[in-house]
Amino acid sequence: MSPLLRAAEPTLDRLLDAVGDSGCCILLTGRDGVPLQRRGVAGDDDDFRKLGLWTGAVWTEACEGTNGIGTCLIEGRAMTIHRDQHFYTRNIGLSCTVAPIYDHLGRLAGCLDVSTCRRDADRGVVALIAAAVGDAARRIEAAHFRQAFKGVRILLGPDGGEAGALIAVDRDDLLIGATRTARRLYGITDERLAAGLPAAAVLGDGLEEGLSDAERGVVQRALARAGGNVSGAARILGVSRATLHRKIKRLGLRLCQEQEILENATLMAVSAAPVLAHAKLGRS
């Protein structure tokens, strides 16, 4: 199974919970218009199979004329093809709401389609389905992006940006990836990324706050894993205890009272050690 399909599975399951009882079928296709994943209620399977809403079918415009999947893949935008807007009469009983899916490099990877053949699916119902499909598509893209850039900082664009405007930042504070939405909003291109694009060029004044939040989360997780022990957390992070203490102070983190007393006592003992050693040498 491809990384995109793995990233999509939880969202497809949640989307089925939301629209499955409304007589809807869910398809996730590749860029070739062939459904790769499908969700639906078992009682509706025979109807959707006869209509070709099944894995392995081909829904390109070349094969089916104007249709949700094929037309979405050509135009690269969300849309609904409602009933007689379909080219072939065999498809005019369908209402198909579709959103494109872009991969971690901002390339069109496929689309997400929710179709229904219920006669009572008016445009009000279709509008609600469209909102659910758009949200699910952005969730799939975000999950795939986080999966592709696992282990690096993932930040939301300036001022929150649009939903799905995510960027990946490495240890040198250079951008190494951006979702399609972020690329469109902030003018990020493959050429700019390859040349070494500083995160500050995109995040501006929000850089320090964004990176501090990311660093705060890393330190907090290390402290939690070490049971609040600073020395243990420092070993997890690969830094000295003194360095971690400075980070804790700079990030405004507080240890629990017992651990703070213990750490202060340890620091006092370490600080006093050279003085005691000097005093012993003086008496000898």
Side-chain angles (χ1 to χ4, degrees):
M1 183 181 295
S2 73
L4 179 61
L5 294 182
R6 283 197 300 272
E9 283 197 317
T11 297
L12 294 178
D13 292 337
R14 287 195 295 270
L15 185 57
L16 177 62
D17 290 339
V19 304
D21 291 337
S22 301
C24 293
C25 168
I26 302 167
L27 296 174
L28 179 66
T29 82
R31 63 172 63 92
D32 57 0
V34 177
L36 304 173
Q37 285 276 0
R38 182 190 176 278
R39 297 289 190 278
V41 176
D44 297 328
D45 283 355
D46 287 342
D47 291 336
F48 286 123
R49 186 184 284 109
K50 291 174 183 176
L51 291 166
L53 294 172
W54 210 262
T55 52
V58 180
W59 281 92
T60 61
E61 278 202 342
C63 291
E64 294 292 335
T66 300
N67 71 89
I69 292 171
T71 306
C72 172
L73 290 172
I74 286 179
E75 298 191 12
R77 63 180 179 87
M79 63 179 60
T80 295
I81 303 298
H82 191 62
R83 300 194 180 283
D84 58 5
Q85 292 176 338
H86 287 86
F87 181 77
Y88 286 116
T89 56
R90 63 174 176 264
N91 296 327
I92 62 175
L94 292 171
S95 181
C96 304
T97 301
V98 199
I101 302 288
Y102 291 88
D103 67 13
H104 63 293
L105 299 176
R107 303 172 303 192
L108 183 65
C111 68
L112 177 64
D113 169 78
V114 172
S115 294
T116 181
C117 55
R118 287 181 54 162
R119 294 182 180 275
D120 59 350
D122 58 21
R123 292 190 178 275
V125 171
V126 170
L128 293 175
I129 293 175
V133 171
D135 178 68
R138 301 295 79 76
R139 288 180 181 274
I140 292 171
E141 290 178 351
H144 179 50
F145 187 78
R146 292 179 185 278
Q147 188 179 86
F149 291 100
K150 189 176 182 179
V152 303
R153 289 167 293 177
I154 305 296
L155 303 177
L156 191 61
D159 302 321
E162 290 184 11
L166 302 178
I167 60 174
V169 181
D170 68 9
R171 292 178 179 272
D172 298 319
D173 296 339
L174 295 176
L175 263 64
I176 57 174
T179 60
R180 195 252 183 181
T181 301
R183 289 167 179 258
R184 176 175 55 82
L185 287 176
Y186 312 125
I188 301 170
T189 63
D190 288 339
E191 291 73 21
R192 293 185 71 191
L193 291 173
L197 178 61
V202 172
L203 294 176
D205 294 337
L207 175 62
E208 184 176 350
E209 181 179 352
L211 297 183
S212 293
D213 287 342
E215 188 176 15
R216 184 179 293 106
V218 170
V219 172
Q220 287 175 325
R221 287 191 292 272
L223 285 168
R225 288 175 57 190
N229 183 277
V230 176
S231 297
R235 285 193 293 271
I236 291 172
L237 295 172
V239 299
S240 69
R241 185 173 58 190
T243 297
L244 183 54
H245 268 291
R246 288 193 294 271
K247 286 182 179 292
I248 290 172
K249 183 177 181 180
R250 176 170 57 81
L251 295 170
L253 300 176
R254 292 296 303 273
L255 302 172
C256 67
Q257 188 174 7
E258 294 82 357
Q259 189 62 37
E260 194 167 6
I261 293 171
L262 178 60
E263 290 296 328
N264 287 338
T266 302
L267 288 174
M268 290 175 64
V270 171
S271 299
V275 177
L276 292 174
H278 181 74
K280 288 181 179 180
L281 286 173
R283 289 196 299 268
S284 60

